Amino acid sequence: MWTSPSTKLASGMTTDSETSPLGRPPRLANVPFNPSRLPFFYGTVVLVCGTLGVLTSAPGQTVGVSVFTDFLIEAHQLSRSWISFAYMAGTICSALLITRAGHWYDRVGGRWVSAFSAAMLALVLLGMSFSVTLADSVATVLPGSYRHHVSFGVLTVGFFAMRFFGQGMLTLSSRNMVLEWFEARRGMAMAVIGISVAFGFSITPPLFEWLIQRGGWSWAWQVIAAMVAGFSLLAFAFGRSRPEDHGLLPDGPFAKKDRKTHAETLSGRSFTLAEARRTYSFWVFTLSVVLSGLLLTAFSFHVVSIFSDAGMSRSQAVAIFVPAACVSVVVEFVGSWLSDFVRLKYLAMVQLVGILVLSLSLSFLNPGTAVVFVVLGMGLMQGLFGIISGVTWPRFYGRQHLGAISGFSTSIVVAGTAVGPYLFSVAHDRFGSYRAATVLCGVAALALLAASPRANRPE
């Protein structure tokens, strides 16, 4: 059996009857095989598995749901505003439970939460493919004409489950599972996830559209459900919650290297969720990510209207995402590498500058130079989003309560993404433009930028 002193715990490998260093017995941890018996660092396998998990969450993300919106409007005979309201209500309800899901992650580990979340997402997608039939069946037993109300209720519940199991639990558990296996090289692990997701999510809409055109929207969701169920089995077979459960250390053969160079990278003491919420840095980083998610979702939701107000076409509006994605990939790669060596507050400042640039360029959008700044601001904001929202929590607050802390932060972010499009709609309806909302985002970015210099890792 291959062993390496740099990857094994000093006390040797654990067995099924032992307790992990984080205080939880690794029940069934080595089923169907023991990672410590393999001649390579198993964190690389977890990295692949976690990346696939985040990609698999696409059907529950806005990028995946939006492809089906027009077909749901036609099938359920609901207006676009009612579909949007159902989506917002479902998203906000899911945000209320993500913190609870984070506590569950801390108890049972990322492997089991990922596998369970994927299985549940597959069932929800299957149910959504029959949403019209379900709504018709329920409406027939109700007095009067309640068909539209029933459709709204069915879609709200469906959106809630898709967002909770997809954007919430599956994304959180898959990403955190990877973060458990890397510490000094956590930034590079996040770069792999971020770049893969950037390209993966970019092909999600055309892939889903191809499935819809091939067999209809209902059939497409059934095919996607089968693929998501396949990942559930993959997560069970190859996912592993924590390296300590198998007598290994984070970073594997690199665990003992460059400890002075990576001073902030190495975790300090473990915080509980209550302790983390009392720290100054928690709220600076959380609110920065919330503002980024709010602005990005609102911009994506209203992009055609925003560009139309500036005298530009639909094709010009949609085309903005391609160059922004290219900038985002470069920023994410460089930022992820830097995050292993520099303090996270500096990267948060760059992200806030991106938010400010995007807010101001949208406030004074025109067919000229402002479009360039939209691309630059959006690329900076997107590229650093995953780093700030992922690396911060294990580095600042340890891994023992990682699920609860990251889950609570994610719940606020998800709520922000639900509110963003509505906030922009209100601004446009009341003032005839989106400028009031974009200026408000810019002011918030300035306030957080002023607060960032003191956002150090709590001791």
Side-chain angles (χ1 to χ4, degrees), residues 55-132:
L55 289 171
T56 302
S57 73
Q61 305 275 1
T62 302
V63 68
V65 177
S66 61
V67 182
F68 293 85
T69 301
D70 290 336
F71 299 97
L72 292 175
I73 290 173
E74 181 180 355
H76 286 273
Q77 295 297 300
L78 290 175
S79 68
R80 185 174 297 274
S81 61
W82 276 108
I83 291 285
S84 299
F85 188 74
Y87 188 66
M88 182 182 74
T91 300
I92 292 177
C93 289
S94 72
L96 298 176
L97 295 181
I98 292 177
T99 303
R100 177 62 59 185
H103 286 290
W104 189 37
Y105 172 95
D106 289 330
R107 287 198 299 270
V108 302
R111 174 194 187 186
W112 305 104
V113 177
S114 293
F116 174 78
S117 301
M120 292 303 298
L121 179 59
L123 289 176
V124 172
L125 293 173
L126 185 62
M128 287 291 282
S129 72
F130 295 103
S131 60
V132 174

Side-chain angles (χ1 to χ4, degrees), residues 11 43 96 102 139 148 155 159 164 239 264 317 323 340 365 436 438 456:
S11 58
L96 298 176
H148 289 173
L155 291 178
F159 286 145
F164 178 67
E264 191 194 51
D340 286 336
L365 186 62
T438 54
N456 297 307

Side-chain angles (χ1 to χ4, degrees), residues 6-17:
S6 63
T7 59
K8 299 292 180 182
L9 293 173
S11 58
M13 294 193 325
T14 61
T15 65
D16 288 343
S17 62

Side-chain angles (χ1 to χ4, degrees), residues 291 295 352-365 373-374 377-378 381 424 434-435 437-445:
L291 182 59
L295 180 57
L352 289 167
V353 169
I355 296 174
L356 183 60
V357 169
L358 179 58
S359 299
L360 293 179
S361 58
L362 292 178
S363 299
F364 304 98
L365 186 62
F373 285 102
V374 169
M378 190 173 175
M381 187 177 69
F424 272 52
Y434 296 99
R435 184 170 295 175
T438 54
V439 169
L440 180 62
C441 289
V443 171

Side-chain angles (χ1 to χ4, degrees), residues 71-416:
F71 299 97
L72 292 175
I73 290 173
E74 181 180 355
H76 286 273
Q77 295 297 300
L78 290 175
S79 68
R80 185 174 297 274
S81 61
W82 276 108
I83 291 285
S84 299
F85 188 74
Y87 188 66
M88 182 182 74
T91 300
I92 292 177
C93 289
S94 72
L96 298 176
L97 295 181
I98 292 177
T99 303
R100 177 62 59 185
H103 286 290
W104 189 37
Y105 172 95
D106 289 330
R107 287 198 299 270
V108 302
R111 174 194 187 186
W112 305 104
V113 177
S114 293
F116 174 78
S117 301
M120 292 303 298
L121 179 59
L123 289 176
V124 172
L125 293 173
L126 185 62
M128 287 291 282
S129 72
F130 295 103
S131 60
V132 174
T133 302
L134 178 61
D136 288 339
S137 300
V138 174
T140 58
V141 300
L142 296 177
S145 179
Y146 287 93
R147 177 64 173 79
H148 289 173
H149 299 82
V150 172
S151 287
F152 174 79
V154 168
L155 291 178
T156 299
V157 172
F159 286 145
F160 156 75
M162 291 173 68
R163 300 291 276 170
F164 178 67
F165 291 114
Q167 185 197 29
M169 288 183 66
L170 184 54
T171 302
L172 182 146
S173 59
S174 298
R175 184 181 60 193
N176 283 354
M177 182 169 60
V178 173
L179 296 176
E180 299 269 20
W181 283 79
F182 295 90
E183 189 167 72
R185 301 182 183 269
R186 195 170 276 149
M188 290 306 297
M190 288 302 298
V192 173
I193 295 178
I195 294 172
S196 300
V197 169
F199 285 113
F201 278 14
S202 68
I203 66 171
T204 292
L207 173 61
F208 287 4
E209 180 67 23
W210 179 80
L211 290 173
I212 292 172
Q213 296 303 324
R214 187 176 178 87
W217 66 271
S218 182
W219 178 82
W221 255 335
Q222 292 167 17
V223 172
I224 297 168
M227 292 190 290
V228 174
F231 171 76
S232 177
L233 298 176
L234 191 71
F236 168 76
F238 297 102
R240 293 295 185 272
S241 297
R242 291 174 174 85
E244 291 90 347
D245 292 347
H246 314 282
L248 303 174
L249 288 174
D251 297 317
F254 306 103
K256 301 295 184 181
K257 295 182 179 181
D258 303 327
R259 297 187 69 87
K260 292 183 179 179
T261 303
H262 302 282
E264 191 194 51
T265 305
L266 302 175
S267 300
R269 72 179 182 90
S270 291
F271 287 69
T272 64
L273 173 58
E275 291 172 334
R277 286 188 300 198
R278 288 196 292 268
T279 63
Y280 176 87
S281 297
F282 177 86
W283 292 106
V284 171
F285 279 91
T286 293
L287 292 176
S288 297
V289 178
V290 168
L291 182 59
S292 177
L294 183 152
L295 180 57
L296 178 60
T297 305
F299 173 64
S300 301
F301 197 87
H302 297 290
V303 62
V304 174
S305 177
I306 291 172
F307 272 65
S308 177
D309 287 353
M312 287 177 276
S313 66
R314 178 185 180 91
S315 60
Q316 288 175 300
V318 176
I320 200 72
F321 293 99
V322 176
C326 294
V327 175
S328 173
V329 168
V330 174
V331 170
E332 179 139 22
F333 182 80
V334 175
S336 297
W337 175 75
L338 286 174
S339 70
D340 286 336
F341 304 97
V342 304
R343 295 184 182 276
L344 288 179
K345 66 179 180 181
Y346 299 127
L347 297 182
M349 291 178 188
V350 176
Q351 183 195 37
L352 289 167
V353 169
I355 296 174
L356 183 60
V357 169
L358 179 58
S359 299
L360 293 179
S361 58
L362 292 178
S363 299
F364 304 98
L365 186 62
N366 58 67
T369 309
V371 175
V372 177
F373 285 102
V374 169
V375 171
L376 177 62
M378 190 173 175
L380 286 173
M381 187 177 69
Q382 281 185 297
L384 292 170
F385 181 89
I387 302 170
I388 302 302
S389 63
V391 176
T392 303
W393 314 129
R395 180 182 299 186
F396 277 24
Y397 303 108
R399 294 188 291 126
Q400 187 170 353
H401 303 284
L402 176 60
I405 294 170
S406 62
F408 180 76
S409 177
T410 300
S411 68
I412 303 175
V413 174
V414 171

